Amino acid sequence: MTMDIELTVNGEQVRESVEPRMSLADFLRERLQLTGTHLGCEMGACGACLVLLGGKPVHACLVLAVQASGETVETVEGLSERGAIADLQAAFHDRNALQCGFCTTGMVVNAHALLGETPVPARDEIRDALSGNYCRCTGYEAIVDAIAETARKRASDAEASA
Amino acid sequence: MKSPAFDYIRARSVAHALEAYRDLDGEGVYLAGGHSVVPSLALRLQAPAALIDLSGIDALTGISLDDGWLRIGSMTRHAEIASDPLIRDHARLFHLAAPHVAHPAIRNRGTVGGSLSLADPASEFPAVALALRAELEVAGRDGIRRVKADDFFLDIYETAMEPGEILQAIFVPPVRTGEVCAFDELARRRGDYAMVGAAVQAVVEAGRLADISIAFFSVGNKPTRAGAAEAVLRENAMNDTAIAAAQAALDADLDPSDEPQMPASVRRHLARVLLGRLLGHLGTTA
Amino acid sequence: MRSSDTRTISARDPHIGQAHRRETARRHLAGRGRFVTDIALPRMLHAAFVRSPMARGRIVEIDTSDAAQSPGVVRVFTARDLNPLCQPWTGTLDHFASMVSAPQNLLAEDEVLWAGHPVAMILARTRAEAEDACELVMLDIEEGEACVDGHAALAEDAVRAAPGLDSNLCFQTVLETKAVDDAFACAAHVVEGDFVFGRHTAVTLEPRAVVADFDAASGQLTVHHGTQTPYQFQDIYARHFALPESRVRVIAPDVGGSFGMKLHLYNEEMATVAASLQLGRPVKFVADRLESFVSDIHARDHKVSARMALDAEGTILAMDVDDMTQIGAFSTYPRTSVAEGNQVVRLMGAPYKMPDYRGRLSVVFQNKVQTSQYRAVGHPIACAVTEALVDKAAVKLGLDPIEMRARNLVPDDAYPFVSATGYSFEKLSHEACLSKLRDLMDYDALRAEQAELRQKGVYRGIGIAPFVEITNPGAAFYGVGGARISAQDGAVVRLTPSGEVQCAISVTEQGQGTETVISQIVADQLGVSPEQVKVTTGDTDTTPSGGATWACRGAGIGGETALRAGRKLQGQILALAGQILQSDPADLALAEGHVVDANSGTRRMPLAEIGRIATYRPDTLPEGADNSLTAAQHFAPSGYPFDFTNGIQASLVEVDVETGIVRLLKHWVVEDCGRIINPLLVDEQIRGGVVQGLGPALFEECLYDETGQMTNASLADYLVPMACEMPDIVIGHVETPTNDTILGAKGVGEAGTAAAGAAALNAVNDAIGPLGAQIHQTPMTPLRVLKALGHV
Ligand SMILES: Cc1cc2nc3c(=O)[nH]c(=O)nc-3n(C[C@H](O)[C@H](O)[C@H](O)COP(=O)(O)OP(=O)(O)OC[C@H]3O[C@@H](n4cnc5c(N)ncnc54)[C@H](O)[C@@H]3O)c2cc1C
Ligand code: FES
Ligand code: FES
């Protein structure tokens, strides 16, 4: 059986027919070629597949594409192209907070959501927010630094413009 | 790790869901947040004919006060459990436990009803429901009934719900004066299922424990009330002697399984340590 | 003409040593990485494997008829169909005298030898359909007795882990100095311990992935392969499938982590290539996480008994070590599973003056997943055993651990130095590192704080671990044993018509920053900025052949190759400029995108002008002028067989003595990797490496039951180190360049992993020692810590 679904992905209206068993991650990667959403475990344990569903970070490997019908999805490609994470990307780049890059998109999506909720998180809060995001390459410290630096910059920019 | 094929039904109402379940002749599985169902499908541990999605049913959502009782809709997500002010004030143990459940993104999808229905003995919320003496509202083909948490959790992944019944809401009794609570768990890593965890709620009157309920999780095949330890503490002052006696009483309360990586004796030891710490903490807050 | 080849690194190399960012990082940050898992080709099929559910058994019957009828299935292969396509492989090397291993082929033939051994291969339109069909394959296996424990496997009458073996001993060796027994006989103190180091595995976030694409019309095989060593696989695919090498192209695009795990040959990748050859269509295989745990190589798995002899002053006289390591049913190909143990017994006591030594190694087969080289091969074991014994000796002698090391480290002025195990060290800096570490961590203050907290019942511990790391290996590693593994690398550098630079090089990138480092080095040779140097890696058709990335060679050997290629091109450019400008090339140099006057720095002409003339107007050049603006260079290390690096690490932990939970509070590393080309990249290599050492020290372990089943083979059950549990890591440097090369760089990729676990082990023992407890097993789980403390 396939089902028709309709959803908004990165601001674009998408209509597709999918098998109910298809995960949102496979849907994004295989149907829409949005390969920035990665798969590292397919069971919610690595965070490589994080996307925003209705504005909140969720594991795209644990959501079925049919469940997302009628919803709004944003992936790293969308966030990047609309400039929402430019400063985070720059901070990750400056701090060399990625190596192979496979965890990076999930990290950035999660960091974006964190800073939306907690504009100036403490280091512990950053580590806590990343507690489900596995990175084999960096050892995490640079990622924490990059997020903390973005928060600091945003706060000081906000102060300057106030 | 791709799921086997299945159909998908988005239930419009509890009645619709119950009907769909009946039509599937035992081959249907309810879907709430999906964060236990979907991984188990990816692991091909089950192969349902169809998933019946409950998450769009309005009657299963919402958090409200009803005659002093707090009603929590079963589709309430873990993240709302953590942040909702009514829960913070009227079911504080849920509020304290929520940050220990998995990781932030999982809490954005997982539902309290899914967690209680699944009845994983390592899960936090079932133990919280026990410690709060919550009541669970269940809808079935014969109507609606309320089950006390003490009677709800039967065994590993087994509850008092009949196949096809739907957990609609959790009812938490009114807050009493002098009520205090504490929650903690010992986990290897942040967000992991605990090696041992416990939720404690007590009523302190004039320096004595007028009432106490203690519920452990990750010790044995279901969330477990520590009745013997409670009895030792009830009507007593909270001091080192009482705490030590309660710790000793745990041996009768808990029946952990013996596993190579976690022998029963170690879990018992950890349970005693944790109880000591929680009671010590209660002592300082009371 | 001035010979540019003798100039060492100097102020004229403005980019070497600078913290340049990685330009490729931007793609990843925008979600534009291109990994093998992302590749989809027209008519591509997806592979899934039916695997043995048990560790040992005889295949009675495989019935694939239902699976073949399953929707979407195109073909089902078993050993009978597929194995004849492939020349079997055997994981032995000549320089490991008398080592043995059974030959292997694509799919299990008569016997299954580990739980996870692939038995049948399904090819379908989608991976989901392939998995559906896997469930329909009827597999009748008669279960046999599995060999699971190494010691038991060595018994005379033990069942053999694989058919055709005379015993379960894969390899045995003894290293010994003459006076080792005398040293123990006259020692004032002897300390000893039995250590167990659990199995763990790489868990790269991107699993193993391959897309094989055989075009029967042209005879061309293209394999997109997530690996760190494309040339090695080009050679393997050509030889084992009898294809001309020129018709095999291996492309390694972005690779989501490798760490040694992705340079071994696996049944599944070989079967994927075979299937594509057979079907003439692209075939994709991506290991899912469950398959990764039962098919990616595992690491370590050692049981070590060791003693150390000391004189009355605490001088180390000798070590006597017996290492038994358990490797699975086969030795891996093409590097074997012996190199790990071999390095364990050769790195024992490496930082110390210790004159005498005996090391015994037994490498043993059993019915589990194969173990083999993973980041810091052998180092963590040698370091942990050595440093645990040094700390025991310090306790026995009442010496501070730092003082104990100061008395025994090879002094900085004692080089060249040959270790008791026979390694030649050109120049190391242990003393400088020790003193720098002491300052960096404020050692005395930490000790004071530790004592104060202990009064309050808080148990903190400090662990110290100096180390030596093997980098820049030459052919001594594998080549001499007959392996077709290149120890040399190659680069082609060219000036484009518009005056920019392109460099195609054989070393590969998995995020370490290889391409950035190469661009910095080449930029300095040609007087341009690194942004103007485009570096290409990871494609056997477009880059020269070389060893690529293994054993810490990217910067040291790859960098030297690039440097020499750059200088060759510099010579060509200056010669041409000399002719155009009617100047002596010796009076010219390259800087800031220009040919300049070597002495005054005055600009003479832009590089773009050279490119333009050489490309579009060679007719205007003087007669006989050579307009070639491409230079090729290969480089193989000579001189020392390896460039050793050194450093020291320290760990601060807090042990909850009631629960056994260990919290890592902070970690320090002082490291000497020779010339630092890019400090930003070096520091993050170290941090990542440290965490890969701390993971197995506290969390990571492949657990098996007594029947040989791995019991925690999922990412929910196998505990990788996560952000909340890992500490901040403070890094310091000492720089002792090697004189073996012009560049002077050594490796750094494995240094962090080498000693982090040893430092953590010592820290935990320092914390619980006052309670009379000691732990000698990793990972240090709460259960093991509680046992050590006598609570259970
Ligand atoms: C990586 C990871 C880590 C996790 N860690 C933890 C943890 O530390 N602690 C913890 O407690 N949980 C943890 N979970 C589980 C998570 O909290 C689950 O989401 C939760 O237990 C189930 O809720 P759900 O809404 O996702 O339910 P679903 O997965 O949708 O359903 C779970 C089960 O309950 C049934 N069901 C659901 N709702 C109802 C209903 N209203 N009436 C009747 N039956 C129903 C379903 O049919 C199914 O059998 C983790 C999950 C993941 C993926
Ligand atoms: S792939 Fe979704 S969490 Fe790992
Ligand atoms: S950068 Fe490789 S996994 Fe994080």
Side-chain angles (χ1 to χ4, degrees):
Chain A
M1 174 181 103
T2 61
M3 290 182 75
D4 292 336
I5 60 171
E6 201 170 332
L7 62 162
T8 308
V9 178
N10 297 331
E12 291 171 28
Q13 200 63 22
V14 176
R15 284 188 72 152
E16 291 276 336
S17 184
V18 298
E19 274 195 292
R21 64 161 143 180
M22 181 175 251
S23 73
L24 178 60
D26 283 341
F27 174 73
L28 294 169
R29 290 174 52 77
E30 290 169 16
R31 286 297 176 83
L32 306 186
Q33 282 79 49
L34 291 167
T35 52
T37 299
H38 297 154
L39 289 172
C41 71
E42 297 178 88
M43 62 184 303
C46 77
C49 64
L50 290 180
V51 299
L52 300 180
L53 179 66
K56 296 218 166 85
V58 304
H59 293 94
C61 71
L62 294 187
V63 176
L64 302 171
V66 289
Q67 284 178 289
S69 190
E71 306 261 359
T72 303
V73 174
E74 202 164 25
T75 69
V76 67
E77 290 94 339
L79 290 171
S80 182
E81 281 159 24
R82 75 174 167 90
I85 50 172
D87 54 352
L88 260 173
Q89 290 168 316
F92 270 64
H93 188 211
D94 289 346
R95 182 62 190 80
N96 196 34
L98 62 147
Q99 290 181 29
C100 78
F102 207 76
C103 71
T104 307
T105 48
M107 292 283 182
V108 169
V109 168
N110 206 2
H112 170 74
L114 168 70
L115 296 182
E117 288 215 339
T118 315
V120 191
R123 276 184 95 72
D124 281 356
E125 288 177 284
I126 298 175
R127 285 191 184 267
D128 190 53
L130 300 181
S131 66
N133 285 76
Y134 172 51
C135 174
R136 186 46 127 183
C137 303
T138 64
Y140 303 104
E141 184 173 342
I143 297 172
V144 176
D145 288 348
I147 297 170
E149 175 60 18
T150 307
R152 202 193 53 74
K153 269 223 180 82
R154 284 188 189 176
S156 72
D157 288 355
E159 206 165 287
S161 68
Chain B
M1 289 182 74
K2 306 296 178 195
S3 303
F6 49 78
D7 289 343
Y8 172 84
I9 299 160
R10 202 177 268 207
R12 294 178 302 274
S13 64
V14 171
H16 178 210
L18 290 170
E19 187 190 304
Y21 189 93
R22 190 191 52 212
D23 292 348
L24 284 160
D25 218 9
E27 298 285 311
V29 164
Y30 290 130
L31 182 68
H35 276 31
S36 296
V37 170
V38 175
S40 84
L41 289 170
L43 293 165
R44 295 192 177 232
L45 299 176
Q46 50 179 340
L51 296 182
I52 305 162
D53 191 346
L54 306 177
S55 63
I57 302 175
D58 283 342
L60 304 182
T61 61
I63 301 163
S64 56
L65 271 179
D66 186 355
D67 201 14
W69 288 67
L70 184 72
R71 178 191 179 278
I72 306 171
S74 62
M75 291 301 118
T76 304
R77 312 244 187 226
H78 302 342
E80 283 173 79
I81 298 275
S83 63
D84 185 85
L86 281 177
I87 290 184
R88 187 193 57 216
D89 297 340
H90 295 270
R92 192 167 175 76
L93 274 176
F94 270 121
H95 173 78
L96 295 177
H100 293 272
V101 181
H103 311 287
I106 288 170
R107 298 199 287 269
N108 284 335
R109 292 293 291 177
T111 66
V112 65
S115 176
L116 298 180
S117 303
L118 184 67
D120 182 335
S123 273
E124 288 81 357
F125 288 158
V128 166
L130 278 184
L132 287 171
R133 297 190 180 100
E135 296 185 9
L136 307 170
E137 185 185 79
V138 173
R141 273 198 276 166
D142 306 328
I144 293 175
R145 61 193 178 109
R146 247 157 103 153
V147 185
K148 289 190 162 50
D150 274 328
D151 303 325
F152 188 78
F153 302 102
L154 303 182
D155 205 338
I156 180 160
Y157 303 130
E158 199 185 320
T159 70
M161 284 195 291
E162 297 296 327
E165 283 191 314
I166 293 173
L167 176 62
Q168 299 205 118
I170 298 111
F171 286 86
V172 179
V175 177
R176 295 161 290 176
T177 38
E179 203 169 272
V180 290
C181 63
F183 179 94
D184 205 0
E185 64 180 44
L186 301 171
R188 298 282 305 272
R189 303 173 307 175
R190 181 86 182 139
D192 280 353
Y193 285 105
M195 298 184 286
V196 169
V200 183
Q201 174 156 288
V203 174
V204 182
E205 268 172 22
R208 282 175 330 107
L209 289 172
D211 183 33
I212 185 160
S213 56
I214 302 170
F216 276 90
F217 56 99
S218 261
V219 196
N221 59 351
K222 57 178 185 172
T224 308
R225 277 285 290 275
E230 290 174 7
V232 166
L233 293 164
R234 207 167 280 136
E235 300 300 335
N236 268 319
M238 179 94 87
N239 54 34
D240 288 351
T241 328
I243 292 176
Q247 285 174 307
L250 276 187
D251 265 1
D253 285 324
L254 304 177
D255 184 19
S257 61
D258 224 355
E259 293 154 31
Q261 300 312 315
M262 192 46 78
S265 60
V266 177
R267 262 198 232 274
R268 285 181 191 283
H269 166 82
L270 293 175
R272 283 192 295 270
V273 170
L274 185 65
L275 182 65
R277 289 181 182 181
L278 286 171
L279 294 177
H281 177 73
L282 270 194
T284 58
T285 54
Chain C
M1 186 176 128
R2 186 162 76 195
S3 160
S4 56
D5 274 345
T6 53
R7 183 162 64 80
T8 55
I9 303 303
S10 68
R12 297 182 66 171
D13 296 283
H15 300 103
I16 292 177
Q18 298 301 311
H20 279 271
R21 300 177 304 179
R22 289 168 47 223
E23 284 314 306
T24 45
R26 285 182 188 280
R27 277 192 303 114
H28 289 300
L29 283 159
R32 295 290 298 262
R34 188 162 170 76
F35 298 91
V36 174
T37 37
D38 300 335
I39 294 174
L41 299 178
R43 299 187 69 234
M44 186 173 83
L45 296 173
H46 294 262
F49 291 87
V50 177
R51 296 172 184 280
S52 169
M54 57 195 78
R56 187 68 199 266
R58 196 177 59 79
I59 300 176
V60 179
E61 199 193 340
I62 310 173
D63 179 354
T64 60
S65 48
D66 288 352
Q69 300 305 314
S70 187
V73 170
V74 172
R75 273 299 277 277
V76 181
F77 289 122
T78 60
R80 205 176 28 206
D81 321 309
L82 216 53
N83 287 12
L85 289 185
C86 176
Q87 179 74 33
W89 60 91
T90 306
T92 56
L93 286 174
D94 300 342
H95 63 314
F96 296 127
S98 75
M99 79 167 288
V100 293
S101 181
Q104 291 190 75
N105 210 322
L106 308 174
L107 299 169
E109 280 169 11
D110 300 316
E111 301 201 48
V112 289
L113 300 175
W114 79 91
H117 197 164
V119 174
M121 181 186 202
I122 312 271
L123 295 146
R125 282 176 317 197
T126 66
R127 169 76 187 201
E129 287 171 329
E131 288 187 28
D132 292 345
C134 282
E135 296 193 310
L136 299 176
V137 172
M138 303 298 167
L139 200 55
D140 182 0
I141 299 182
E142 186 184 13
E143 186 157 12
E145 191 190 337
C147 244
V148 289
D149 174 72
H151 283 307
L154 287 178
E156 195 65 20
D157 58 347
V159 290
R160 307 291 185 251
L165 294 175
D166 290 335
S167 85
N168 287 318
L169 191 63
C170 167
F171 177 68
Q172 196 162 38
T173 192
V174 182
L175 298 181
E176 191 165 24
T177 60
K178 281 203 187 73
V180 63
D181 289 320
D182 295 346
F184 278 93
C186 63
H189 304 282
V190 174
V191 288
E192 58 192 356
D194 292 327
F195 300 85
V196 181
F197 298 95
R199 250 176 194 248
H200 51 89
T201 183
V203 201
T204 57
L205 187 51
E206 184 193 30
R208 281 166 34 229
V210 65
V211 176
D213 181 10
F214 180 63
D215 172 7
S218 64
Q220 172 74 40
L221 172 71
T222 304
V223 184
H224 306 266
H225 188 160
T227 179
Q228 55 195 94
T229 50
Y231 312 93
Q232 175 198 302
F233 282 105
Q234 179 190 28
D235 174 72
I236 286 175
Y237 295 144
R239 280 189 299 115
H240 288 268
F241 294 109
L243 299 165
E245 189 179 52
S246 61
R247 292 295 164 88
V248 179
R249 176 181 187 183
V250 177
I251 304 172
D254 290 328
V255 179
S258 190
F259 316 113
M261 186 274 282
K262 292 180 184 169
L263 51 64
H264 307 288
L265 181 148
Y266 295 94
N267 301 67
E268 293 84 355
E269 279 82 333
M270 290 297 270
T272 302
V273 170
S276 180
L277 289 171
Q278 187 79 340
L279 301 174
R281 295 173 69 162
V283 177
K284 181 175 191 171
F285 169 71
V286 177
D288 66 29
R289 188 56 64 191
L290 302 180
E291 299 183 281
S292 300
F293 277 111
V294 296
S295 63
D296 292 1
I297 58 112
H298 293 175
R300 322 303 181 212
D301 204 350
H302 297 263
K303 293 183 177 167
V304 183
S305 297
R307 357 179 245 152
M308 179 180 276
L310 302 108
D311 71 11
E313 278 71 53
T315 310
I316 302 170
L317 304 174
M319 283 177 79
D320 183 2
V321 174
D322 192 342
D323 176 23
M324 193 275 292
T325 176
Q326 314 170 88
I327 61 163
F330 302 98
S331 164
T332 52
Y333 184 76
R335 284 155 205 261
T336 82
S337 301
V338 163
E340 160 90 7
N342 193 51
Q343 281 189 193
V344 169
V345 291
R346 281 165 205 276
L347 281 163
M348 289 283 174
Y352 300 109
K353 285 176 290 193
M354 177 178 87
D356 284 297
Y357 177 72
R358 179 188 299 120
R360 270 194 219 88
L361 170 67
S362 311
V363 180
V364 183
F365 293 115
Q366 15 108 264
N367 295 109
K368 293 185 184 171
V369 174
Q370 296 170 61
T371 68
S372 196
Q373 286 84 320
Y374 164 67
R375 196 175 197 172
V377 184
H379 293 69
I381 312 303
C383 184
V385 169
T386 303
E387 298 310 322
L389 293 182
V390 171
D391 263 16
K392 276 173 186 279
V395 170
K396 199 157 191 179
L397 284 136
L399 289 174
D400 182 274
I402 291 239
E403 173 57 24
M404 184 69 202
R405 275 141 187 118
R407 288 187 188 186
N408 283 288
L409 288 167
V410 178
D412 291 356
D413 59 6
Y415 294 94
F417 182 89
V418 179
S419 77
T421 66
Y423 279 145
S424 299
F425 301 135
E426 178 195 7
K427 180 131 181 58
L428 301 178
S429 58
H430 288 298
E431 292 180 322
C433 289
L434 179 69
S435 102
K436 190 155 196 167
L437 176 79
R438 194 182 181 125
D439 295 345
L440 195 65
M441 66 191 289
D442 203 352
Y443 183 76
D444 298 328
L446 276 182
R447 283 284 180 211
E449 184 189 47
Q450 178 189 33
E452 209 172 289
L453 286 170
R454 199 156 287 171
Q455 303 299 315
K456 299 179 186 152
V458 175
Y459 287 82
R460 290 211 173 159
I462 300 166
I464 308 282
F467 64 92
V468 166
E469 189 209 338
I470 304 176
T471 79
N472 292 1
F477 242 46
Y478 299 112
V480 297
R484 293 171 67 87
I485 294 170
S486 168
Q488 63 81 44
D489 276 287
V492 173
V493 181
R494 62 196 174 96
L495 190 73
T496 67
S498 53
E500 294 178 356
V501 178
Q502 297 205 351
C503 174
I505 191 160
S506 59
V507 286
T508 55
E509 169 84 53
Q510 294 84 39
Q512 315 88 320
T514 311
E515 291 176 357
T516 306
V517 162
I518 298 300
S519 73
Q520 289 175 253
I521 294 168
V522 170
D524 281 352
Q525 311 319 307
L526 298 174
V528 297
S529 74
E531 292 72 43
Q532 290 170 294
V533 181
K534 179 172 182 183
V535 180
T536 307
T537 62
D539 182 342
T540 59
D541 261 14
T542 61
T543 61
S545 201
T549 303
W550 53 273
C552 282
R553 54 204 309 291
I557 299 176
E560 182 74 6
T561 309
L563 180 142
R564 292 182 185 217
R567 288 192 178 180
K568 203 179 220 180
L569 179 59
Q570 178 197 73
Q572 289 170 216
I573 295 170
L574 291 180
L576 189 59
Q579 289 192 304
I580 297 169
L581 296 168
Q582 299 294 306
S583 303
D584 183 348
D587 295 334
L588 300 173
L590 301 178
E592 293 170 355
H594 285 75
V595 176
V596 298
D597 189 287
N599 294 318
S600 67
T602 314
R603 289 182 174 183
R604 303 288 303 275
M605 73 188 293
L607 281 174
E609 186 59 7
I610 302 258
R612 187 190 66 81
I613 294 171
T615 310
Y616 304 114
R617 297 305 307 273
D619 57 303
T620 63
L621 290 172
E623 188 155 333
D626 185 351
N627 70 332
S628 309
L629 291 179
T630 299
Q633 179 73 55
H634 286 254
F635 171 76
S638 53
Y640 285 87
F642 316 103
D643 288 328
F644 288 93
T645 72
N646 69 284
I648 187 164
Q649 301 196 20
S651 166
L652 176 68
V653 305
E654 189 169 303
V655 181
D656 181 335
V657 297
E658 287 184 322
T659 64
I661 293 174
V662 176
R663 213 148 56 86
L664 299 164
L665 300 178
K666 204 159 182 174
H667 201 92
W668 295 265
V669 182
V670 177
E671 210 277 341
D672 183 349
C673 60
R675 169 97 52 227
I676 294 175
I677 303 166
N678 184 327
L680 182 65
L681 303 183
V682 162
D683 284 4
E684 295 323 310
Q685 278 295 297
I686 293 173
R687 289 200 173 91
V690 164
V691 166
Q692 275 184 35
L694 294 175
L698 289 173
F699 299 106
E700 296 181 51
E701 185 170 23
C702 301
L703 298 167
Y704 279 86
D705 69 13
E706 61 288 350
T707 67
Q709 288 290 341
M710 187 172 165
T711 56
N712 64 338
S714 86
L715 203 55
D717 300 309
Y718 177 97
L719 306 187
V720 290
M722 299 294 278
C724 285
E725 289 69 40
M726 289 300 115
D728 281 344
I729 300 162
V730 183
I731 295 171
H733 296 284
V734 172
E735 238 178 298
T736 311
T738 171
N739 289 324
D740 264 4
T741 60
I742 303 167
L743 185 61
K746 308 178 196 173
V748 71
E750 305 182 279
T753 311
L761 180 70
N762 279 354
V764 170
N765 279 323
D766 185 49
I768 63 178
L771 298 168
Q774 284 285 295
I775 184 163
H776 289 154
Q777 181 169 9
T778 60
M780 296 177 277
T781 62
L783 172 62
R784 289 173 186 149
V785 174
L786 286 174
K787 277 191 175 152
L789 286 162
H791 278 304
V792 288

